[in-house]
Amino acid sequence: MAEPARESRTPVGETGMEEKLAGVVRRVFPDASVEGLTRLTGGANQQMWSLDVVADGKRHPMVLRQTSDWNRDATGTLALDDEARLVIRAGEGGVPVPGVHQILEPDDGLGIGYLMARLEGETLPPKILRDERYADARSRLAGQCGEVLSAIHRLDVSGLDFLPATTPEGVVDQLYREYQGHGEPRPVFELAFRWLKDHLPAAPEKLALVHGDFRHGNLMVDEGGLVSVLDWELACLGDPMADLGWMCVNSWRFGHIDLPVGGFGAREQLFDGYEAASGDRPDPDRVRFWEILGTLRWGVMCQGMAASFVGGHDTSPERGAIGRRASETEVDLLRELVPLIP
């Protein structure tokens, strides 16, 4: 499995994580042992650990997703135990996701999180977009994304009361408040907000499950195409076309700007896959609204990371580097909006 690079091994006996995890996995596999516990890099809001569970002579590769100490009170994201319940529901509905083995309990002493299967595949966009190994996958990936998004949007959400409900107008208003909070006026962002408010689509008649972050990095791919959908922490109830628009944001094309779906496909391929699976053809104008909103959303997110870096709240190189990309989204917004403005 092509997970983020491995960072450091947990000193056995210092933190007691292996012993605590062994207690968790024994609820599933009696007399199991934990081997190869390794902290993974990546994941801005959660910690991830790779491990193997050995039981009855068999090795079960797993990943532990665990809330970071600095993110326990984060807003706008699902708690990991709720995310696990959503992943279970998605798997039951035919969406390709890692199997959830166990949700952590308070007595486990490991905080909030869950154990899931560790799958084989690639998540790094440069490899997916450039390696010859994935050439065949790239040819079918846009259609597969459409099919999987259709399955997500048709999931039964009864009982998932922890999911926030959203509307196009509410999303724009919330994003504008976030932008204003940074105290850094950007004329291009202001232009985009004005266009979005002038072209708000009506709220959908029925809210659907929206993944919220369906893009490169959260999609696992192998030589056959899409293997699994990861990271459901931004899921909500809302307009399903938001997922299609977010997938087409230029920042997720990684230089392949003429292929709007992740740098590997055309919008028509995405729409064809969606229609083939659901019988419903996505509305291109509605998807374009969410693509422009998504571009602006990423710009405001980058702006926030830059503010956090400059303010000394998070001085990690990753935050500083990503923060600078707010200017890239201004260029993307102008490319999108200039042809649309009389």
Side-chain angles (χ1 to χ4, degrees), residues 223-279:
E223 292 87 341
L226 186 58
V227 172
S228 186
V229 182
L230 310 174
D231 292 355
W232 294 70
E233 63 185 18
L234 297 180
C236 65
L237 300 178
D239 185 345
M241 296 301 101
D243 276 335
L244 281 75
W246 184 243
M247 184 66 199
C248 293
V249 167
N250 189 41
S251 295
W252 317 139
R253 303 176 200 175
F254 293 87
H256 300 256
I257 63 175
D258 295 329
L259 294 172
V261 183
F264 50 72
R267 293 184 183 89
E268 289 72 21
Q269 293 173 300
L270 179 69
F271 296 170
D272 287 347
Y274 196 96
E275 184 178 23
S278 67

Side-chain angles (χ1 to χ4, degrees), residues 130-147:
R130 298 169 190 168
D131 283 10
E132 184 62 27
R133 174 182 179 182
Y134 302 108
D136 288 342
R138 289 193 293 270
S139 69
R140 61 176 68 95
L141 198 49
Q144 290 176 333
C145 285
E147 294 171 4

Side-chain angles (χ1 to χ4, degrees), residues 325-340:
R325 299 188 64 188
S327 59
E328 295 178 11
T329 64
E330 292 178 304
V331 175
D332 292 339
L333 286 168
L334 288 174
R335 289 180 65 251
E336 293 276 5
L337 292 172
V338 169
L340 301 177

Side-chain angles (χ1 to χ4, degrees), residues 45-46 65 76-78 80 83 211 213 231-235:
N45 297 324
Q46 282 89 33
R65 283 175 60 83
T77 61
L78 298 181
L80 278 180
E83 180 182 334
H211 179 276
D213 202 12
D231 292 355
W232 294 70
E233 63 185 18
L234 297 180

Side-chain angles (χ1 to χ4, degrees), residues 287-306:
V287 173
R288 179 57 62 87
F289 170 88
W290 284 106
E291 181 178 336
I292 293 171
L293 195 158
T295 302
L296 179 59
R297 171 189 168 195
W298 177 238
V300 173
M301 291 169 67
C302 292
Q303 187 182 29
M305 293 185 198

Side-chain angles (χ1 to χ4, degrees), residues 2-212:
E3 290 284 354
R6 296 192 169 186
E7 185 178 79
S8 61
R9 291 205 169 266
T10 304
V12 179
E14 180 178 323
T15 66
M17 275 202 68
E18 288 193 4
E19 291 81 359
K20 293 176 181 178
L21 275 172
V24 175
V25 299
R26 284 169 188 155
R27 295 203 293 267
V28 184
F29 303 99
D31 301 321
S33 62
V34 172
E35 295 183 2
L37 180 62
T38 307
R39 172 79 179 273
L40 301 173
T41 60
N45 297 324
Q46 282 89 33
Q47 297 180 115
M48 293 193 295
W49 304 80
S50 173
L51 62 143
D52 289 334
V53 173
V54 180
D56 297 327
K58 297 181 180 180
R59 189 171 295 270
H60 305 271
M62 297 188 191
V63 168
L64 169 68
R65 283 175 60 83
Q66 182 186 37
T67 300
S68 300
D69 289 338
W70 61 84
N71 194 54
R72 294 189 187 280
D73 299 319
T75 58
T77 61
L78 298 181
L80 278 180
D81 50 353
D82 286 337
E83 180 182 334
R85 296 180 183 97
L86 180 56
V87 172
I88 292 171
R89 177 69 60 86
E92 292 171 345
V95 179
V97 292
V100 174
H101 286 290
Q102 194 70 212
I103 299 175
L104 298 181
E105 299 177 358
D107 291 344
D108 294 329
L110 292 168
I112 300 172
Y114 62 96
L115 274 171
M116 65 181 186
R118 192 172 78 242
L119 304 179
E120 294 292 331
E122 182 59 73
T123 59
L124 295 176
K127 291 187 177 182
I128 294 171
L129 293 176
R130 298 169 190 168
D131 283 10
E132 184 62 27
R133 174 182 179 182
Y134 302 108
D136 288 342
R138 289 193 293 270
S139 69
R140 61 176 68 95
L141 198 49
Q144 290 176 333
C145 285
E147 294 171 4
V148 170
L149 281 171
S150 173
I152 291 172
H153 299 157
R154 289 181 284 118
L155 284 173
D156 175 17
V157 296
S158 60
L160 303 179
D161 300 331
F162 50 82
L163 292 172
T166 65
T167 64
E169 182 177 13
V171 172
V172 173
D173 288 345
Q174 175 59 38
L175 187 62
Y176 190 67
R177 288 192 294 270
E178 183 179 340
Y179 159 71
Q180 286 184 310
H182 297 320
E184 182 195 19
R186 288 178 176 254
V188 176
F189 285 9
E190 294 283 354
L191 175 67
F193 275 115
R194 187 179 72 184
W195 187 91
L196 290 168
K197 291 178 180 180
D198 289 342
H199 295 82
L200 281 171
E205 295 181 3
K206 181 181 179 182
L207 298 182
L209 174 64
V210 176
H211 179 276

